Amino acid sequence: MMQLSDVWSGLLGSLAEVVAIGGPVVVLLLALSVVSAATVLYKFWQFRRAGVGRHRRVKLALAAYERGDCKTAEALLSDSQSYLVAPVKRALRGATADDASAVSDRCDAEAEALFLRLETGLGFLDMVAQLAPLIGLFGTVLGMIEAFQGLQSAGTSVDPTVLAGGIWVALLTTAAGLAVAMPVAAVHGWLSGAVERDRVFANTALRQAFAPDADCVAQHTPREAA
């Protein structure tokens, strides 16, 4: 227990030292990193709960629907944990209705509302990925200005080690900005790609429901009439 407390004290001491060296810029970057980490954890939980990318039963249901087996399609959709079940169910039930075009528009709107919910927070991650390096660079510029002001004040008695120390302290903020931006950019790219793949799948699934193969429509119609 004492060893854990010593490690924790050492980490806090190192963090306090970095903050003292980097100043307000490093504090801002640390705050952005904490909020970004919380956002990423929430998005992972949200994507897992919604079943993003896991639509196997929906695909099987659409295949059964195209074979004319509506009961199997309904059963598969009822067992699916995919967040796209609701618009796909509406599409299958309204595909043969007189107002199929209006039903199609509503299904598209429902799907887009689901995607909008998944995309919440991705804009913030994108902003952090773009701004963090600029914030770090801004801190470096301020540090370089301070270093050269000290050089000017020293006059002819310039100590190169003091100048070098000021420069590396200034570059610390750029490194901090990049350290925050790179993982956030990578996670943002993965999350955005997952949403885009699901958007393409949803569009394909809805079009498949409203415009199945001609042979399948012929098989499907008698089943509905029955």
Side-chain angles (χ1 to χ4, degrees), residues 65-76:
Y65 172 78
E66 286 208 324
R67 294 193 307 267
D69 191 354
C70 297
K71 290 184 179 179
T72 300
E74 286 282 347
L76 287 168

Side-chain angles (χ1 to χ4, degrees), residues 39-40 43-44 46-47 52-53 83 112 114-130 183-201:
T39 303
V40 167
K43 298 307 294 183
F44 281 157
Q46 182 189 33
F47 276 38
V52 174
Y83 66 99
E112 279 303 315
L114 294 173
F115 293 131
L116 180 62
R117 191 178 306 170
L118 290 176
E119 289 173 337
T120 301
L122 296 185
F124 170 75
L125 294 179
D126 183 48
M127 180 191 69
V128 171
Q130 295 187 42
V184 171
V187 173
H188 173 265
W190 183 84
L191 294 175
S192 299
V195 173
E196 189 59 30
R197 286 190 295 272
D198 270 17
R199 179 178 276 112
V200 172
F201 171 78

Side-chain angles (χ1 to χ4, degrees), residues 57-210:
R57 291 186 180 274
V58 175
K59 294 178 182 178
L60 294 175
L62 290 170
Y65 172 78
E66 286 208 324
R67 294 193 307 267
D69 191 354
C70 297
K71 290 184 179 179
T72 300
E74 286 282 347
L76 287 168
L77 288 176
S78 298
D79 292 339
S80 175
Q81 301 297 320
S82 170
Y83 66 99
L84 294 173
V85 165
V88 172
K89 270 188 176 181
R90 184 183 298 278
L92 295 184
R93 292 170 180 172
T96 58
D98 295 334
D99 58 343
S101 177
V103 177
S104 176
D105 292 340
R106 177 165 181 176
C107 291
D108 290 338
E110 287 182 358
E112 279 303 315
L114 294 173
F115 293 131
L116 180 62
R117 191 178 306 170
L118 290 176
E119 289 173 337
T120 301
L122 296 185
F124 170 75
L125 294 179
D126 183 48
M127 180 191 69
V128 171
Q130 295 187 42
L131 284 184
L134 297 178
I135 294 173
L137 182 60
F138 177 66
T140 296
V141 171
L142 293 179
M144 294 294 287
I145 291 174
E146 184 177 350
F148 281 103
Q149 281 180 338
L151 181 64
Q152 181 183 17
S153 301
T156 56
S157 57
V158 177
D159 186 355
T161 58
V162 174
L163 178 61
I167 292 176
W168 84 259
V169 168
L171 292 175
L172 177 66
T173 58
T174 295
L178 292 174
V180 172
M182 288 187 292
V184 171
V187 173
H188 173 265
W190 183 84
L191 294 175
S192 299
V195 173
E196 189 59 30
R197 286 190 295 272
D198 270 17
R199 179 178 276 112
V200 172
F201 171 78
N203 183 60
T204 303
L206 294 178
R207 300 291 76 76
Q208 186 177 352
F210 284 103

